[in-house]
Structures are given as C-alpha cells and as structure tokens.
Amino acid sequence: MRFSGRTSRTVTAAALTLVATAPALAQSMLNYGGISVAQCIPFANFQPVSFTDPPKLNFSIAGDSAIHTVTMDTGSVGVAMSATNIPNYETLKTAPGARPGTQFLSSSKILWVGTWVPMTVTLYDRVQKPVATSEVFILGVEKSGRCDSYQTDQQICPDLPAPAKPVLYMGVGFGQEADFQPQGTPDKNVLLNLRSVNGQPIANGTLNSGYIIGRQGIQVGLTADNTAGFRFAKLVPYAQYPGDWMMPSGCISVNPEVNRDANGPICTPANILVDTGIPQSYMTLPPTIRFDTVQQPDASEPNKSVGVLAPGTSVAVNIPDAASPIAVDSFIVGAGSPNEPQQVIPWSTDKRPPFINTGRHFLRQYQFLYDAKQGYVGMKDQPNPCGEQ
C-alpha cells in the first residue's frame, strides 16, 4: 500500500540517533561460504522506465487460492490484510505467537488494529508461477480509521470502525521501528523468512537472508555469485530490536558552491532511507544549509501545496560518507536526470537530526543490497538480471 505522503516519516525516522557507518568494504570482507540459496522474484509490473511506479509483487496466503498484487514498500515492514480476507482467522488468533497488533501510517494518520497471526505466504513470478514460500506473522486488520493522537500518545483511538475498503499492504524494509512501527520487526518481513524456493525446502546453513533490488525484480538470498562486484558498508545493530539493523548513514550536500566551510563543501551527516513507495524525496537539514524553494502540489497529495527545492539546486547523497562512498546519488533539480526524484521537499530545522528519504528514483542508478544476517548494505550499478526482458 502506498502512503499518501511521507512528511511525517521524514520527521520521525530522523529522530533516530545518527550512527556511524563503516568505510566501504570489499566483498571479501563478508562470508558467503557454503551459501547456495538464491531466487529471482520478478516484479509483477514490468516497467519500460523502471521505478516510474512503485514495484509490485504477486503473493498468496495459506488457505486462499487468490493471488494478490501489492506494492513492495521498503519504507515499512510487515504484511497487513483485512481480517475478513484471511481464511480461518479466528482460529489463527489463538495460535502460538499470535498477538494483538497495530500498524500506523504516519503520513495519513490512519491506524490499523487487529492481530498478528502466523501465515505461510507464497511469492510468485510475473506470470504467477510460485517461486518461494515464507513463514511470517501478518496483521489481520479488524479496525481502521484516522487516529491523529496515536502519533503522540501511542494509544488506540476508541470506536474505530471496520475497514471501509479492503486492506492490502506489504512492507519489506528494515530499521523502521522508530517511525511508529515498533512491531515492524524482522519476523514480519516475507523476504527474510523464506522456507522454500522453487518447491524445495531450504536446508539449514544454505541461506544468507537478504535481498538485492534490481530494476525489474528482486533477488532473495545472498551468495558469493550474486553479491560479486558490490561495494559494502557496515550497519549498526538496532539495540532495542535484536536481529534488526539501523538505517544506513551517509551525508547530504546541497549547493556546495554556497554551503561551504574552511574545509570545503559541507556534506551534512544524515540517516538515509531508500524508499520504493514514493517518487519524491524528503530531506531534513540544519538551518545553516542554504537553499531556495518554490511551491508545487505535493506528489502524494496533489491538493496540498508544498515548498520544494528550486530548479538549479545541486544535491548529492553519499553513502556512507563523502570520503569513501559506495554510492553517490547526485542530481541538479530540473535537469531531468533519470535518478532525479519527482520533487525534493526540504525541511530546515535544528530540532531534528538530518535525514533523507531518497524516494525510489535512486534505484534507477544503483542496485540496493541488504544483508540481514551479517548487517551490511551494498551498492552496484544497475541493471541486475532479475526480471529483465
């Protein structure tokens, strides 16, 4: 499901303490010895120009023959569905591990309330051939409605109604618990809890959990072969949530000919989210960084006017830093480069740490690797062969 906007995500995710990411590392620093399981899952929606729209995956759940097509969102974690569309839901609510749960959409202020229930999820390729299964907890949504106060007190608003329309949502990101997603832990991520590929069970010790996002598909399972040529940066463990990792860090440079100090152009350290769910970018910068804005309709809420970076503004995002980057996402606003977001919505404040949500156009330039087992992100120039025609 695509959020109506991500301004709140810019604020709340930026509230995380900035963490230092290690310098770029070679593949030889990681251990993929004995690992053999990898599977390509083509996106359901082939796009002549990749990431014009959000990528989508085909999936089904146990007990239901219907195949659903859903946005694959890296800015959140977990599968959510209307409880009425989950077979044997009332029985599943009493299964071991099932527990009450919520999912809060911080931009639209919509709160989903229900129960996390155990589920086998089957993933399909573009022609709806099953390619992998996963065992996760999914949220059966029983109540849904606007709950503005949840963002401040984390209390469920009374008298929320049943969903007015079917709920269908899949988040596959990491490190998002601080964005009002404390239940968005790795056990909810379908891409990190695989049990079989191509009809064959996964033997112990043969899978390194993680994924590689290409232009037209996503590879699950990391091996020496499919990670070859990537440049890596170490992530920091998420202390409050064992098994998860913090977002990657980097630095943002805006108008370096203006924003300089005695050492040269300023590159402001920041947390970084590469978000497949949105075409625009959001950034939070300190007031000392100067830039101009113009008013435009918000790409996610066209009836809302927002300030965006003015044409001609120079932007560069370095991961993990400017000294030894594994990726440099640079563009001039309005120049029309493929990796330029649809718009860049800045927020100038010293009340929140710097942050950038790059949006999905970043992925037109770089493959994005997430190693959930060893705790790394990796970058490599596109394309990846998965899903390409």
Side-chain angles (χ1 to χ4, degrees):
M1 176 176 179
R2 181 174 171 181
F3 293 169
S4 60
R6 296 295 169 92
T7 305
S8 295
R9 177 171 294 173
T10 306
V11 177
T12 54
L16 292 169
T17 302
L18 289 178
V19 294
T21 310
L25 300 172
Q27 183 198 27
S28 59
M29 300 294 292
L30 284 81
N31 181 15
Y32 295 113
I35 303 300
S36 59
V37 174
Q39 178 63 46
C40 165
I41 306 176
F43 295 142
N45 55 330
F46 180 87
Q47 300 182 59
V49 179
S50 61
F51 299 106
T52 300
D53 298 315
K56 296 180 182 293
L57 293 177
N58 290 323
F59 81 101
S60 68
I61 60 173
D64 186 0
S65 60
I67 297 177
H68 308 280
T69 300
V70 66
T71 291
M72 186 195 80
D73 181 30
T74 55
S76 56
V77 182
V79 173
M81 296 181 66
S82 299
T84 53
N85 291 335
I86 299 176
N88 305 312
Y89 178 68
E90 292 301 322
T91 301
L92 290 171
K93 288 173 66 174
T94 65
R99 56 198 180 277
T102 60
Q103 180 72 277
F104 184 64
L105 311 185
S106 58
S107 54
S108 61
K109 309 298 189 294
I110 297 297
L111 179 65
W112 291 330
V113 181
T115 302
W116 292 102
V117 298
M119 183 58 63
T120 298
V121 175
T122 300
L123 297 162
Y124 299 81
D125 65 13
R126 192 173 294 139
V127 296
Q128 300 188 350
K129 173 187 174 184
V131 293
T133 63
S134 180
E135 293 184 3
V136 292
F137 287 87
I138 71 172
L139 182 65
V141 179
E142 303 169 25
K143 299 179 180 180
S144 173
R146 190 175 179 99
C147 186
D148 293 50
S149 60
Y150 191 84
Q151 203 158 8
T152 55
D153 62 18
Q154 283 77 63
Q155 298 297 310
I156 296 173
C157 293
D159 302 321
L160 289 176
K165 57 183 180 180
V167 173
L168 185 64
Y169 170 88
M170 181 184 287
V172 298
F174 63 95
Q176 293 300 304
E177 289 88 347
D179 188 24
F180 303 100
Q181 299 181 59
Q183 299 168 8
T185 46
D187 60 318
K188 314 296 195 324
N189 193 324
V190 297
L191 301 183
L192 303 182
N193 293 276
L194 300 180
R195 295 296 182 266
S196 72
V197 294
N198 286 321
Q200 300 299 313
I202 297 173
N204 289 338
T206 62
L207 172 68
N208 191 115
S209 293
Y211 53 72
I212 300 170
I213 303 174
R215 294 188 308 189
Q216 305 291 351
I218 185 165
Q219 290 186 325
V220 290
L222 303 179
T223 67
D225 287 341
N226 68 14
T227 61
F230 275 86
R231 303 172 294 278
F232 293 91
K234 191 74 176 79
L235 298 172
V236 172
Y238 207 135
Q240 302 96 312
Y241 300 95
D244 206 358
W245 303 88
M246 303 288 284
M247 289 183 292
S249 65
C251 66
I252 310 168
S253 174
V254 176
N255 289 338
E257 70 283 358
V258 173
N259 295 301
R260 307 175 65 89
D261 59 19
N263 297 316
I266 297 171
C267 199
T268 304
N271 284 315
I272 296 172
L273 171 62
V274 177
D275 191 343
T276 55
I278 57 172
Q280 70 270 50
S281 174
Y282 293 95
M283 63 171 58
T284 303
L285 291 168
T288 52
I289 301 299
R290 291 173 289 170
F291 52 81
D292 294 324
T293 63
V294 297
Q295 291 293 307
Q296 282 185 3
D298 188 305
S300 292
E301 297 181 83
N303 294 328
K304 173 184 172 184
S305 180
V306 292
V308 302
L309 289 184
T313 304
S314 174
V315 178
V317 180
N318 296 265
I319 304 174
D321 53 43
S324 54
I326 63 171
V328 180
D329 182 33
S330 60
F331 57 88
I332 296 174
V333 175
S337 62
N339 61 311
E340 180 188 344
Q342 186 172 333
Q343 58 188 190
V344 182
I345 302 173
W347 186 33
S348 181
T349 181
D350 56 7
K351 305 299 183 183
R352 300 285 183 177
F355 169 78
I356 184 166
N357 181 331
T358 69
R360 60 176 169 263
H361 289 187
F362 175 98
L363 294 163
R364 288 178 172 173
Q365 181 175 0
Y366 291 109
Q367 300 175 50
F368 183 95
L369 178 153
Y370 171 50
D371 187 325
K373 180 180 180 181
Q374 302 184 69
Y376 286 88
V377 291
M379 304 289 168
K380 182 181 178 181
D381 291 350
Q382 291 279 20
N384 182 288
C386 179
E388 295 283 341
Q389 290 186 346

